[in-house]
Amino acid sequence: MKTNRIITGDACHELPKLSDASFQAIIADPPYYNVLTDEAWDTQWDSEEAYLAWALHWARECMRLLKPDGLFFCFGQLGKREHVFIHLMSRLCNEFQFHDLVIWDRAVGYNERRDSFTPAYEMILVLRKNEQVKFIKDAVRIPYDKQTIAAYLKDTRYKNKTARHQHLLAGKYATNLLRVPSLKGSSKEKCGHPSQKPSGLIEKLIRCSTEAGDVVLDPFLGSGTTAVVAQDLERAWLGIEINPRYVKMATRRLEGRLL
């Protein structure tokens, strides 16, 4: 399989062409259904059931393409108007093994809402094929500041100060609540896609689930963040994107013009 390339096409048509168990990690950030109401690609379904049928089709293909010890990450959102992801998660978890539910704390909320709490997070459903998965916990540790390290070293419960110091220098293990600021219009990373995810968030997903040389798939490549991050981390990648404008955007980023 040729990697490090973008396939221009519909994921539902292109995924069946790929071989079983080809990818160590799959990161999918699909349309959420009637969330970005100004975008035709997010409002193309006549009903929730039509959207769910579409989502289950490509998600099943993704699970077929996942390696036995791989992880499949699927983005979604909940809120007063955005509840269809609950149903998608339920149906996917009835068919496949649940591994985790990661909360992406965007640090800054969406536009204020008068009759409900302001949404400030999105979700990442993580599925697997088997209980034995490649998960590299040390790759996503969060550094302690110097003051915290100094304070923890004073804890008399730890007799081996050298080992304790090394552990603290490595940082604390990440939880399934990932706080990564969302991209605002003034961000240098922002390149014009309305639902672009920050590279810092995608990097955590790739680091925890792959090693150098592994292959990552993004069936909804959009602005190309997964490809850019995978390339920087020396992972092979394959992206599928139906919109030619976004394909050009991703290609320019990969060529270094927008980074």
Side-chain angles (χ1 to χ4, degrees), residues 97-167:
Q97 288 191 23
F98 174 85
H99 183 75
D100 207 342
L101 182 61
V102 177
I103 302 299
W104 171 35
D105 178 356
R106 296 165 47 95
V108 179
Y110 292 93
N111 294 333
E112 295 291 338
R113 296 183 177 177
R114 296 180 180 180
D115 58 351
S116 66
F117 291 107
T118 300
Y121 71 92
E122 295 184 33
M123 309 171 83
I124 310 168
L125 176 65
V126 190
L127 300 175
R128 67 191 184 203
K129 284 184 171 180
N130 300 293
E131 291 186 5
Q132 299 300 317
V133 297
K134 179 185 285 189
F135 185 80
I136 310 162
K137 199 170 183 178
D138 283 329
V140 285
R141 286 195 178 204
I142 302 170
Y144 290 106
D145 57 52
K146 292 182 179 179
Q147 292 79 9
T148 300
I149 292 176
Y152 282 171
L153 283 174
K154 295 177 182 178
D155 192 327
T156 58
R157 292 177 297 172
Y158 299 98
K159 305 304 179 184
N160 188 334
K161 295 296 184 182
T162 300
R164 181 60 176 165
H165 192 209
Q166 290 301 315
H167 174 78

Side-chain angles (χ1 to χ4, degrees), residues 9 15 34-35 44 61 69 83 85 92 110 117 133 136 139 148 156 180-181 196 222 246:
L15 290 172
N34 288 350
V35 174
Q44 59 184 293
E61 284 296 315
D69 62 345
H83 61 275
F85 192 57
L92 286 174
Y110 292 93
F117 291 107
V133 297
I136 310 162
T148 300
T156 58
V180 181
Q196 181 183 348
Y246 295 149

Side-chain angles (χ1 to χ4, degrees), residues 20-23 60-72 96-99 127-133:
D20 293 359
S22 297
F23 300 96
R60 288 166 180 151
E61 284 296 315
C62 285
M63 291 303 293
R64 177 184 65 82
L65 297 172
L66 192 67
K67 287 193 172 184
D69 62 345
L71 290 174
F72 169 46
F96 307 107
Q97 288 191 23
F98 174 85
H99 183 75
L127 300 175
R128 67 191 184 203
K129 284 184 171 180
N130 300 293
E131 291 186 5
Q132 299 300 317
V133 297

